Amino acid sequence: MLPVTVMADRVTLHELTRASAAELSDGGSGGWQWAPGGPDEGSRFAAGKMLSGMDAGRHRTGWGAYVVVRTEDGRAIGGIGFHGPPEDGRVEVGYDLAESVRGHGYATEALCALTAWALSQPDVQTVYATTDADNTASQRVLDRAGFRRIGDTPRPIGGRESQHLYEQSAP
């Protein structure tokens, strides 16, 4: 099955292939020309997790890591994607942007587009995300994308004790 592409107004989301994920996780560009400061470490980590899922047979097309490409110049500006395929109607999303392009609404646009795609799939009723309690920029992205804070995570993630939990459900 071909990788998924999700179109938005100013960005296009391209799901990583095995080859692009391998190159990105190994410190390369993944085959993209990046905006200054990219790719962020989160994009590299997500590419590696996607590869692990592929190797273990858990990966499903559409439910992996994507590169966010700015339409006006074709530059990769960040990453977005799922932490794995949906479970019990829920799927977790994460995102990052190169520091040089933050503050222009690209993360919100990418998150809106990928969330709409996920909620249009028959096995997803809810998309959720977690953010550090002090990451107000990410919280603003989630708020602008129509997510609502539903509380804190029931368990620390990655050694962090304070994470906020946000979600958006199908209408």
Side-chain angles (χ1 to χ4, degrees):
M1 190 173 222
L2 293 174
V4 172
T5 299
V6 178
M7 306 289 291
D9 185 35
R10 300 178 303 147
V11 296
T12 302
L13 315 178
H14 298 278
E15 186 178 20
L16 297 177
T17 63
R18 176 181 284 280
S20 61
E23 185 181 334
L24 194 57
S25 69
D26 285 342
S29 68
W32 302 95
Q33 285 193 329
W34 286 83
D40 191 76
E41 203 50 44
S43 292
R44 294 191 188 286
F45 178 78
K49 293 296 279 184
M50 183 174 161
L51 278 176
S52 295
M54 287 175 159
D55 292 343
R58 291 186 313 267
H59 176 72
R60 287 178 34 207
T61 300
W63 303 108
Y66 293 72
V67 65
V68 179
V69 177
R70 188 170 46 199
T71 306
E72 73 181 46
D73 62 3
R75 288 198 176 263
I77 60 172
I80 191 167
F82 302 104
H83 292 214
E87 291 183 21
D88 300 322
R90 295 172 53 83
V91 66
E92 185 174 7
V93 68
Y95 50 89
D96 64 34
L97 286 182
E99 192 170 335
S100 65
V101 299
R102 293 178 187 164
H104 299 283
Y106 294 122
T108 301
E109 186 174 333
L111 181 58
C112 286
L114 196 59
T115 299
W117 178 87
L119 292 174
S120 75
Q121 305 306 304
D123 50 348
V124 176
Q125 291 80 47
T126 302
V127 177
Y128 70 97
T130 59
T131 181
D132 290 343
D134 63 352
N135 190 346
T136 56
S138 186
Q139 292 162 23
R140 285 192 303 273
V141 167
L142 289 160
D143 287 338
R144 286 192 303 267
F147 283 69
R148 61 183 170 67
R149 182 173 170 206
I150 61 168
D152 293 328
T153 56
R155 59 179 169 40
I157 297 174
R160 299 178 180 115
E161 293 185 23
S162 187
Q163 292 242 315
H164 297 321
L165 179 62
Y166 287 77
E167 72 176 23
Q168 187 177 137
S169 296

